[in-house]
């Protein structure tokens, strides 16, 4: 199975009707907007399970910590894992480092908190082609995002 | 020569590096390098309308966005001869206190606590201290809600306008803020109870100078003023801010440096607590009396504790402001009295004194000077890093241990490198 196929297979195996998804990113920086686009595209299908960083990441996570109907959280974002642009990686929370923070709560800390509450936390990342300011999402990252969205849509219908 | 280099300082805003040059057993040079590219905000707004300036300059920072907004408003309104009514002034104060809650809760509970508790990173801390992380997030969320209520967005809200507000929040919206505070105050107290008894190393102790704005009501602790109080007893009119900052350029950094009487100085929570702390009230005053000592004037690590006390101060202040606001009628927006003038506005941003100085000619921006807190703190950060590096060298510590300690010192200032225009590298020669 290809890397993308493997990541999508793991995403489909992991997600269920008790999974919430949070799209992360920056819409001004090319492919960094894929997570936000993900939330924008799918939120109308189930606003109780699809969230965007733009709603306030810490606030969204705090609410999810209190929710008994959410057993797992999958973050969607770009991620530099040294692969070819458009490749998809499905990562466990242990794979996410204590990243350099920019006045933001480190994602790894939020994932650790989610786990501490007895829920599972995962990360789906697309290898970006470009993170340049003012650029749109690249065609290759868009195509990968579409495949992630198709996989998640099936789960939202559960 | 050996060089220890921290190429990117983690858990601070922006891109900075610290280089420490060591020759033999002596620290030869310390350079706090701000590597963020020049932001050019002071040039971008030239020729634009004051209202455009007001929307552009807060983009300098997404954390202190409302401090920039308020400092800008104070400077612009001075230029345009606008005096705002009491309700507008109090509502702007409310937004500034909300920003202080958001910023201090984030730094103390989520970014500084791992250092203070001796954890290698924030994730490791969640194992034993998850409740403090949740408390920090809860207070941060509240701070965001205050900012959103007043400014219409948690970040870069556009509701505060020249002469007033686009829309005043309803009393129900204001009471909704007040109703939450009672549950948050014990959270802030628990953080002070955790941090307060911690011992900070005395080898870092060295006297420095402090500066902050003297609140308009000089009997009160506050975040807005028209004069600058300095630890040598001097008080400067805010229009004379350059007598404090004396900015100069250094070759290794995009950020300008400030010195007062040719010596470094510190702004921020530690400066405010040291200079104004005896004016605090309520539980914050109780903690101030219990924990402050003469060492708070010598050791920057106490800034974390000062922020925790200010977090409590801001939470206690918010209901007081709400009670005043709900009894007042919404005033109309005040129109400019002229289209030309000069004026300097200042507020106490979470990281310290922020100056916005303007000149307007023919209704257009003709001069802009913005001096941020971190830019003023850079010289003192370098000085304390030098002290820490020399102590660690004398102790025979390895480079990794030195780097870790230097980062802790720099982080205690909660530097916002993007605002100042980024951090540790040790070079052994």
């Amino acid at each position: 199975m290809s890397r993308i196929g493997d990541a999508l297979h793991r995403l489909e195996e992991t997600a269920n009707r008790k999974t919430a998804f949070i799209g992360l990113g920056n819409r001004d920086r090319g492919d960094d907007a894929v997570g936000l686009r993900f939330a924008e595209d799918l939120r109308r299908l189930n606003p109780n399970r699809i969230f965007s960083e733009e709603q306030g990441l810490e606030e969204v996570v705090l609410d999810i910590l209190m929710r008994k109907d959410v057993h797992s959280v999958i973050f969607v974002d770009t991620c530099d894992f040294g692969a070819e642009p458009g490749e998809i990686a499905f990562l466990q929370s242990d794979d996410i480092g204590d990243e350099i923070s920019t006045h933001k709560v480190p994602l790894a800390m939020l994932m650790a908190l989610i786990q501490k509450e007895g829920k599972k936390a995962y990360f789906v990342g697309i290898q970006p082609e470009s993170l340049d300011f003012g650029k749109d999402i690249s065609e290759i990252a868009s195509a990968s995002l579409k495949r992630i969205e198709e996989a998640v849509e099936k789960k939202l219908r559960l | 020569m050996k060089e220890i280099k921290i190429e990117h300082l983690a858990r601070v805003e922006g891109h900075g590096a610290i280089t420490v040059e060591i020759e033999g057993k002596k620290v030869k040079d310390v350079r706090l390098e701000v590597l963020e590219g020049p932001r050019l905000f002071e040039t971008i707004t030239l020729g634009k309308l004051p209202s455009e300036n007001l929307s552009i300059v807060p983009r300098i920072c997404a954390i202190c966005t409302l401090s920039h907004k308020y400092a800008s408003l104070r400077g612009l309104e001075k230029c345009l001869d606008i005096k705002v009514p009491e309700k507008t002034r109090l509502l702007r104060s409310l937004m500034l206190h909300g920003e202080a809650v958001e910023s201090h809760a984030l730094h103390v509970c989520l970014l500084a606590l791992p250092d203070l508790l001796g954890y290698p990173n924030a994730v490791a801390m969640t194992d034993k201290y998850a409740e403090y992380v949740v408390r920090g997030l809860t207070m941060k969320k509240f701070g965001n809600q205050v900012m959103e209520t007043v400014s219409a967005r948690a970040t870069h809200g556009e509701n505060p306008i020249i002469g007033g507000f686009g829309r005043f929040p309803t009393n129900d919206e204001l009471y909704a803020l007040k109703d939450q505070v009672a549950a948050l105050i014990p959270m802030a107290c628990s953080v002070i109870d955790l941090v307060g008894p911690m011992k900070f190393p005395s080898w870092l102790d060295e006297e420095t100078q402090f500066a902050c704005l003297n609140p308009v009501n000089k009997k009160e602790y506050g975040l807005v003023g028209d004069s600058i109080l300095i630890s040598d007893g001097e008080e400067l009119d805010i229009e004379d801010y350059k007598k404090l900052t004396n900015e100069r350029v250094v070759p290794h950094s995009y950020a300008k440096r400030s010195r007062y009487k040719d010596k470094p100085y510190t702004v921020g929570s530690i400066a405010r607590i040291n200079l104004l702390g005896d004016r605090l009230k309520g539980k914050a005053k109780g903690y101030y009396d219990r924990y402050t000592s003469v060492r708070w004037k010598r050791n920057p690590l106490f800034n974390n504790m000062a922020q925790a006390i200010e977090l409590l101060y801001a939470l206690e202040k918010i209901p007081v402001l709400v009670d005043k606001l709900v009894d007042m009628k919404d005033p109309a927006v005040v129109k400019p009295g002229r289209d030309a003038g000069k004026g300097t506005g200042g507020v106490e941003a979470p990281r310290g004194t922020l100056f916005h100085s303007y000149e307007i000619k023919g209704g257009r921006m003709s001069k802009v000077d913005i001096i941020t807190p971190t830019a003023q703190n850079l010289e003192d950060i370098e000085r304390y890093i030098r002290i820490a590096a020399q102590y660690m060298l004398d102790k025979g510590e390895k480079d990794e241990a030195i780097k870790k300690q230097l980062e802790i010192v720099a982080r205690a200032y909660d530097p916002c490198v993007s605002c100042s225009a980024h951090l540790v590298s040790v070079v052994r020669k």
Side-chain angles (χ1 to χ4, degrees):
Chain A
M1 197 183 290
S2 68
R3 192 203 286 252
I4 290 182
D6 178 55
L8 292 171
H9 177 71
R10 290 175 67 193
L11 170 61
E12 287 190 32
E13 268 201 330
T14 306
N16 56 46
R17 62 189 175 83
K18 291 185 174 176
T19 303
F21 299 85
I22 307 176
L24 307 174
N26 181 339
R27 61 174 74 241
D28 293 330
R29 298 197 61 175
D31 290 343
D32 201 11
V34 292
L36 304 179
R37 179 74 61 83
F38 165 86
E40 216 167 83
D41 290 346
L42 299 189
R43 195 164 154 68
R44 69 195 150 75
L45 298 177
N46 193 336
N48 286 325
R49 287 172 58 195
I50 302 280
F51 302 95
S52 163
E53 180 175 4
E54 290 181 329
Q55 294 171 261
L57 180 57
E58 295 90 1
E59 283 83 344
V60 167
V61 170
L62 261 182
D63 289 343
I64 285 176
L65 288 178
M66 315 291 172
R67 278 176 60 175
K68 292 195 166 72
D69 61 329
V70 173
H71 290 188
S72 61
V73 181
I74 298 178
F75 292 89
V76 181
D77 197 359
T78 41
C79 175
D80 183 1
F81 48 100
E84 290 296 313
E87 289 274 10
I88 300 173
F90 185 87
L91 304 168
Q92 310 279 338
S93 62
D94 294 349
D95 299 323
I96 305 297
D98 187 25
E99 94 269 29
I100 292 160
S101 158
T102 57
H103 282 342
K104 280 182 179 175
V105 183
L107 177 62
M109 184 188 239
L110 294 175
M111 292 177 88
L113 264 187
I114 291 166
Q115 306 256 65
K116 186 93 183 150
E117 283 295 314
K119 304 175 196 293
K120 301 280 184 197
Y122 305 94
F123 183 95
V124 178
I126 298 175
Q127 179 74 38
E129 183 177 81
S130 168
L131 299 174
D132 287 348
F133 266 106
K135 282 204 169 175
D136 284 336
I137 299 174
S138 65
E139 271 183 33
I140 195 158
S142 280
S144 299
L145 175 62
K146 198 164 186 298
R147 295 186 68 178
I148 292 172
E149 288 180 352
E150 285 167 358
V152 172
E153 257 191 85
K154 287 185 215 161
K155 299 294 172 180
L156 291 175
R157 289 196 206 102
L158 293 176
Chain B
M1 186 175 80
K2 184 177 175 183
E3 187 175 85
I4 299 179
K5 191 169 179 82
I6 300 177
E7 292 187 356
H8 190 110
L9 191 75
R11 281 184 271 140
V12 304
E13 164 57 27
H15 183 201
I18 298 170
T19 301
V20 179
E21 281 185 20
I22 299 165
E23 211 161 71
K25 297 239 174 221
K26 287 280 171 206
V27 174
K28 196 177 160 223
D29 195 20
V30 173
R31 294 189 304 273
L32 177 52
E33 296 156 349
V34 171
L35 305 169
E36 289 272 347
R39 309 284 303 277
L40 306 173
F41 275 91
E42 291 151 320
T43 310
I44 292 169
T45 61
L46 291 180
K48 292 199 162 44
L49 296 168
S51 56
E52 291 173 313
N53 178 86
L54 183 65
S55 289
I56 294 169
V57 292
R59 266 69 185 178
I60 290 172
C61 183
I63 289 283
C64 318
T65 169
L66 288 178
S67 288
H68 280 285
K69 183 73 93 180
Y70 197 0
S72 181
L73 278 167
R74 289 177 65 79
L76 294 170
E77 288 173 351
K78 241 189 211 181
C79 294
L80 300 169
D81 192 27
I82 291 173
K83 289 182 182 57
V84 295
E86 183 72 352
K87 182 159 187 178
T88 299
R89 193 186 62 75
L90 290 174
L91 193 59
R92 288 176 179 176
S93 179
L94 179 64
M95 72 183 190
L96 209 53
H97 284 79
E99 185 180 82
V101 171
E102 194 274 345
S103 181
H104 287 346
L106 171 63
H107 184 250
V108 178
C109 302
L110 304 160
L111 304 180
L113 261 193
D115 285 341
L116 300 175
L117 293 167
Y119 284 95
N121 56 51
V123 177
M125 192 189 86
T126 50
D127 198 33
K128 199 169 162 199
Y129 291 94
E131 73 218 74
Y132 288 92
V133 176
V134 173
R135 286 172 198 162
L137 289 173
T138 308
M139 290 186 280
K140 182 180 185 303
K141 178 181 175 180
F142 174 71
N144 275 334
Q145 193 187 336
V146 174
M147 292 194 283
E148 202 172 332
T149 302
V150 180
S151 80
R153 280 204 299 246
T155 308
H156 301 317
E158 294 291 349
N159 191 37
I161 56 176
I162 294 172
F165 282 92
R167 167 192 174 270
F168 280 82
T170 64
N171 283 359
D172 284 349
E173 287 171 322
L174 292 170
Y175 281 130
L177 298 176
K178 184 186 172 183
D179 290 348
Q180 296 175 63
V181 170
L184 300 172
I185 283 178
M187 293 186 193
C189 290
S190 75
V191 174
I192 304 175
D193 289 334
L194 178 70
V195 179
M198 288 177 181
K199 305 282 180 221
F200 295 125
S202 57
W203 49 261
L204 196 59
D205 289 11
E206 194 169 291
E207 295 278 345
T208 189
Q209 312 180 97
F210 296 100
C212 72
L213 293 175
N214 201 359
V216 179
N217 179 344
K218 298 198 174 179
K219 288 182 181 162
E220 282 193 8
Y221 196 92
L223 304 175
V224 175
D226 289 321
S227 64
I228 306 158
L229 201 58
I230 307 170
S231 50
D232 65 357
E234 241 189 272
E235 189 166 350
L236 300 171
D237 187 282
I238 197 165
E239 295 299 338
D240 293 327
Y241 70 98
K242 285 186 177 173
K243 287 182 184 166
L244 170 74
T245 58
N246 299 294
E247 281 195 308
R248 66 193 172 90
V249 172
V250 292
H252 61 270
S253 172
Y254 282 119
K256 286 182 187 169
R257 300 306 179 93
S258 290
R259 280 186 161 232
Y260 174 67
K261 293 188 175 169
D262 207 30
K263 286 182 183 162
Y265 65 94
T266 289
V267 295
S269 293
I270 188 83
R272 293 188 288 261
I273 292 285
N274 278 328
L275 293 169
L276 308 172
D278 56 358
R279 302 180 192 178
L280 286 163
K281 291 175 184 162
K283 289 183 193 299
K285 178 67 162 59
Y287 281 112
Y288 167 81
D289 288 339
R290 189 183 314 166
Y291 287 117
T292 51
S293 72
V294 70
R295 289 192 60 217
W296 282 49
K297 296 180 176 166
R298 300 175 189 151
N299 191 319
L301 298 179
F302 286 104
N303 189 50
N304 298 305
M305 184 62 185
Q307 285 190 335
I309 291 178
E310 275 199 333
L311 172 60
L312 178 58
Y313 151 75
L315 286 170
E316 290 186 295
K317 182 79 178 180
I318 285 169
V320 175
L321 290 166
V322 168
D323 283 341
K324 287 182 182 171
L325 283 161
V326 292
D327 286 336
M328 293 176 169
K329 281 191 175 165
D330 299 349
V333 173
V334 182
K335 300 287 178 204
R338 60 188 181 215
D339 71 352
K342 288 182 185 178
T344 303
V347 300
E348 285 295 323
R351 284 152 200 83
T353 315
L354 170 66
F355 298 105
H356 279 233
S357 188
Y358 300 122
E359 189 176 338
I360 299 173
K361 283 183 183 168
R364 301 269 167 180
M365 304 304 298
S366 61
K367 210 177 267 182
V368 178
D369 187 25
I370 297 170
I371 301 184
T372 63
T374 297
Q376 295 173 74
N377 282 336
L378 290 172
E379 292 263 319
D380 242 351
I381 301 177
E382 267 181 7
R383 185 162 68 100
Y384 282 104
I385 284 173
R386 180 185 280 270
I387 294 169
Q390 190 60 61
Y391 173 81
M392 300 292 280
L393 264 184
D394 292 344
K395 260 182 74 181
E397 295 283 2
K398 298 227 166 79
D399 287 0
E400 278 313 304
I402 297 175
K403 280 185 183 182
K404 191 176 172 214
Q405 189 60 52
L406 303 190
E407 286 200 301
I408 290 173
V409 172
R411 273 201 293 267
Y413 283 86
D414 190 8
C416 183
V417 175
S418 297
C419 276
S420 62
H422 277 234
L423 275 168
V424 181
S425 152
V426 179
V427 182
R428 288 185 192 263
K429 287 184 178 169

